[in-house]
Amino acid sequence: MLTIYSDKHRLHHGTELKDGVLQPSVEMPRRADTVLARIGAVGLGAVVGPADYASSLYSPAHTPRYIRFLENAWADWLAVGRRHDALPLIWPVRDLRADVEPEHIDGKPGFYSMGAGVPITGGTWEAVRSSANLALTGARALADGARGAFALCRPPGHHAAAEYMGGCPSWRKSTARA
């Protein structure tokens, strides 16, 4: 099987708010490293890099304004004097208009996220862009006749939707007995 992989995933790693405490994100580069090592250990097949696609091709999965947010969020965060990871400060309530994007960066992370496990860092856009290119490269390989393709995407995006990102909660098993 063909595996599509990029080291650019390492550009995204930050902190999340879990149980009221800032801590390293559960979704970390080591997760992709473990998968890639196993692919090599079992000789699953060739590992190739992604093709480069224009971000306009991401819009079937995500809205153009969400893509612009991801592309510009870190620069906007820096522009107001911040140097730490950008985490949501507020989440709009249901009665607010979802069609109107907040103008200030303080409102945007919460507008485009479903939790506090989705940091924006200096490398997030490049890692997200690479992840999208991995998926598109895998889809192209299948369309071109490959029997199987695995896009090792990180950030994975499996909690994402057209206009929001979601974190990777670290659920705990209950120790309570019935």
Side-chain angles (χ1 to χ4, degrees):
M1 178 165 52
L2 178 66
T3 297
I4 303 98
Y5 169 83
S6 171
D7 272 334
K8 288 187 177 182
H9 75 90
R10 295 178 194 290
L11 297 172
H12 174 75
H13 184 56
T15 56
E16 64 184 27
L17 183 62
K18 172 84 172 86
D19 295 330
V21 177
L22 282 176
Q23 56 191 4
S25 295
V26 171
E27 180 28 60
M28 61 183 64
R30 181 176 57 210
R31 294 175 67 155
D33 296 340
T34 300
V35 174
L36 186 63
R38 186 68 182 150
I39 288 168
V42 300
L44 195 56
V47 177
V48 300
D52 191 31
Y53 292 91
S55 61
S56 61
L57 293 177
Y58 310 156
S59 62
H62 302 292
T63 66
R65 76 177 180 172
Y66 177 60
I67 295 166
R68 276 192 308 276
F69 160 71
L70 290 171
E71 187 173 13
N72 297 306
W74 185 248
D76 292 348
W77 192 251
L78 293 176
V80 296
R82 304 212 177 96
R83 299 294 177 258
H84 53 283
D85 295 353
L87 287 170
L89 302 172
I90 60 161
W91 283 271
V93 294
R94 292 180 196 163
D95 292 344
L96 295 178
R97 293 180 56 187
D99 62 320
V100 179
E101 177 187 48
E103 291 180 20
H104 195 274
I105 187 60
D106 283 351
K108 290 181 182 185
F111 184 77
Y112 288 113
S113 66
M114 67 174 186
V118 286
I120 301 287
T121 69
T124 296
W125 170 246
E126 203 51 44
V128 166
R129 186 169 153 62
S130 176
S131 186
N133 288 339
L134 290 164
L136 289 170
T137 301
R140 172 54 45 206
L142 293 171
D144 289 346
R147 291 187 59 197
F150 171 54
L152 182 45
C153 298
R154 190 183 164 278
H158 58 277
H159 293 273
E163 279 205 330
Y164 68 82
M165 53 194 169
C168 185
S170 54
W171 301 105
R172 289 188 221 139
K173 290 184 181 180
S174 174
T175 57
R177 297 186 185 241

